[in-house]
Amino acid sequence: MAISPAEFSRRRTTFLERLGGVAAVIPAAALVTHHADVEHSFRQQSDFWYLTGFDEPGAVALFLPHRPDNPFVLFVEPKDPTAEVWNGFRWGCEGAVQRFGADLAHPRADLAGRLGDYLKGAEGIAFRVGRHPAVEPLVLSAWSAQLDRAPRNGQAALGLVAPCPLLHELRLRKSEAELERMRLAARISAEAHELARQVARPGLNERQVQAVIEQHFMEQGARGPAYGSIVAGGDNACVLHYTSNNAPLADGDLLLIDAGCSLSDYYNGDITRTFPVNGCFSGEQRALYDLVLAAQEAAIAAVRPAADAEQVHGVALRVLVEGLVDLGLLRGAVEGLIEQGAYRHLYMHRTGHWLGLDVHDVGAYRLGEHPVPLEPGMVLTVEPGLYVSDRLPPPEGQPAIDERWKGIGIRIEDDVAVSERGHEVLTAAAQKSVAAIQR
Ligand code: GLY
Ligand code: MN
Ligand code: MN
């Protein structure tokens, strides 16, 4: 079930409470040009979405705790039959109030003229500088005008602050309704991986596998891929952000697929699976696959309340480095290899990230010296990998890599929610055991 209007309203109430006497200006996303006069399909800004559920470009939300009678004000593109014939339906000001719970709504064009009045009396202004070029000058000039008048009326906001820490702390902890959406995103994404494994065979192009995955996303009602799907055969899998997806799948290669869907309300799945194109691992592929799977399972087992993402990474890293030493791909004492980062030509990324409305979701990983402890409701990916190629040379003292290992890229990624009792793997329906993926 979609997030209810009551939940959006609760989010706003909590945000307003946390703001204290500071007013927040939260802009929607703007349309982005793709080429000539064609735009990318619209993607709402996640902070704005989290607080409003309003899916149109160019809007601006104000949160005004110093005006308790009408603390939530939306500026939106007004109803306009001609514009709507070309670009689609708009809710307009009336819809912003009736459907989206705004206390007051105005045409977006009135923002410059009204912002100063709305911000009057706020102790500070929460606005993310550097991200919203159409709104930032309006905020700065409203504040500057307050400062000009301050000697006479003593009413200027004392500072410009970032809304992010407050808001992102809220977004980091998912409600039960959000977890339900993430279970759905995970299920659709997992099904797509199962379909991809069924169709993949030597000679098929990576792009044809991408089509199967993304068709499933959309057939199931998702908006589409949450990020550029990575469908990478053989050595292409050693390029972490490979999205060309345009090579034929070779007999004897592995296929790495990193793909997840984004739902209509932007909750995302993010899954990676790696399997043999012809259904049968070579000895080297199997050895590395077993190692990545062992690292991933150990890391998932470490996800529980009061643990932290750095510990989860540390568990995966230790298993990988121990295994690489056993296989002769690294040389030395495990502790020292980890400390020196001597594994980074084979494993060059972290083991996971927060997941939510953004794929690399918001929320701090550290507060000063301290890693943020995991709590029920937080969702993170667990995605160790190994990438053996010539791209990065082994560091001094580490063995040259034998040709038989090269061109093997493996990542295994699940979406894991922290629960009271430990964790819930949201993406368990995507198979990863050797028994399930060998033909
Ligand atoms: N698909 C992006 C990531 O795994 O982080
Ligand atoms: Mn990920
Ligand atoms: Mn991924």
Side-chain angles (χ1 to χ4, degrees):
M1 249 197 355
I3 303 294
S4 68
E7 180 154 336
F8 280 109
S9 174
R10 279 196 298 277
R11 293 173 180 179
R12 289 191 291 271
T13 303
T14 309
F15 184 48
L16 281 160
E17 280 167 10
R18 302 264 181 113
L19 282 168
V22 170
V25 181
I26 309 288
L31 285 165
V32 178
T33 301
H34 189 195
H35 56 94
D37 58 354
V38 175
E39 283 138 353
H40 282 284
S41 45
F42 179 66
R43 206 294 184 185
Q44 190 54 282
Q45 204 279 338
S46 299
D47 287 338
F48 180 89
W49 173 266
Y50 180 80
L51 292 167
T52 66
F54 188 72
D55 207 17
E56 294 181 23
V60 177
L62 305 185
F63 296 90
L64 309 169
H66 60 292
R67 294 174 62 113
D69 292 340
N70 44 36
F72 172 37
V73 180
L74 270 175
F75 286 81
V76 302
E77 295 300 348
K79 297 293 291 175
D80 175 342
T82 306
E84 291 182 53
V85 162
W86 284 91
N87 296 321
F89 177 80
R90 294 174 174 181
W91 284 103
C93 295
E94 215 170 286
V97 171
Q98 284 175 3
R99 178 87 178 203
F100 295 91
D103 299 307
L104 295 165
H106 306 284
R108 169 66 177 79
D110 292 357
L111 181 65
R114 291 184 179 268
L115 186 58
D117 274 346
Y118 275 122
L119 294 179
K120 209 180 283 170
E123 287 167 18
I125 301 168
F127 176 74
R128 173 61 160 97
V129 293
R131 287 280 168 84
H132 307 286
V135 180
E136 187 167 316
L138 308 186
V139 173
L140 293 181
S141 97
W143 187 32
S144 172
Q146 283 188 353
L147 293 170
D148 289 343
R149 288 192 302 267
R152 293 194 293 282
N153 62 15
Q155 272 202 349
L158 283 176
L160 195 61
V161 299
C164 318
L166 280 182
L167 198 44
H168 295 176
E169 212 193 311
L170 302 182
R171 283 180 53 193
L172 179 56
R173 292 166 184 79
K174 276 71 181 173
S175 68
E176 189 45 48
E178 289 186 285
L179 289 173
E180 265 310 304
R181 299 301 288 165
M182 295 191 70
R183 286 184 191 105
L184 177 61
R187 178 173 67 69
I188 295 170
S189 305
E191 288 165 359
H193 278 264
E194 289 295 298
L195 289 173
R197 199 177 68 252
Q198 283 159 25
V199 302
R201 60 177 187 278
L204 210 64
N205 192 283
E206 291 164 344
R207 195 165 298 262
Q208 290 170 289
V209 180
Q210 178 184 0
V212 169
I213 291 168
E214 295 182 6
Q215 177 175 358
H216 185 73
F217 292 167
M218 296 175 90
E219 271 175 3
Q220 293 299 307
R223 212 175 263 263
Y227 50 91
S229 302
I230 297 169
V231 183
D235 180 66
N236 293 336
C238 298
V239 177
L240 299 177
H241 292 164
Y242 176 82
T243 49
S244 312
N245 301 351
N246 200 20
L249 300 178
D251 203 351
D253 274 353
L254 295 180
L255 175 58
L256 180 154
I257 301 175
D258 183 346
C261 73
S262 187
L263 299 183
S264 56
D265 55 5
Y266 299 112
Y267 289 97
N268 298 302
D270 182 7
I271 303 180
T272 308
R273 290 292 182 264
T274 310
F275 58 88
V277 170
N278 65 13
C280 201
F281 282 106
S282 73
E284 287 77 12
Q285 290 168 347
R286 174 70 193 268
L288 293 181
Y289 188 86
D290 285 347
L291 183 50
V292 175
L293 186 56
Q296 203 236 9
E297 287 177 338
I300 290 176
V303 175
R304 66 179 84 92
D308 61 65
E310 287 184 21
Q311 285 170 1
V312 174
H313 174 63
V315 167
L317 187 56
R318 177 163 293 275
V319 175
L320 289 177
V321 170
E322 283 172 0
L324 289 167
V325 170
D326 290 345
L327 293 171
L329 287 158
L330 289 179
R331 190 160 51 216
V334 169
E335 207 58 54
L337 293 170
I338 290 175
E339 246 163 54
Q340 294 151 21
Y343 55 84
R344 288 210 186 99
H345 57 305
L346 301 168
Y347 182 41
M348 57 295 282
H349 59 78
R350 301 286 294 181
T351 300
H353 51 82
W354 305 130
L355 180 70
L357 287 176
D358 289 324
V359 174
H360 292 175
D361 206 26
V362 295
Y365 293 91
R366 278 193 151 254
L367 293 173
E369 287 300 292
H370 305 287
V372 169
L374 297 177
E375 286 175 30
M378 294 179 176
V379 181
L380 68 163
T381 66
V382 179
E383 50 176 308
L386 288 172
Y387 312 90
V388 191
S389 79
D390 276 332
R391 290 177 183 79
L392 296 174
E396 219 178 290
Q398 291 306 315
I401 291 168
D402 196 279
E403 288 303 313
R404 68 198 170 98
W405 297 103
K406 289 183 185 165
I408 302 179
I410 297 168
R411 179 165 62 257
I412 307 173
E413 174 177 27
D414 281 299
D415 304 341
V416 183
V418 184
S419 64
E420 298 287 345
R421 309 175 69 183
H423 60 260
E424 174 187 351
V425 180
L426 306 180
T427 44
Q431 301 297 317
K432 60 185 177 185
S433 72
V434 169
I437 66 178
Q438 285 226 102
R439 282 202 290 265

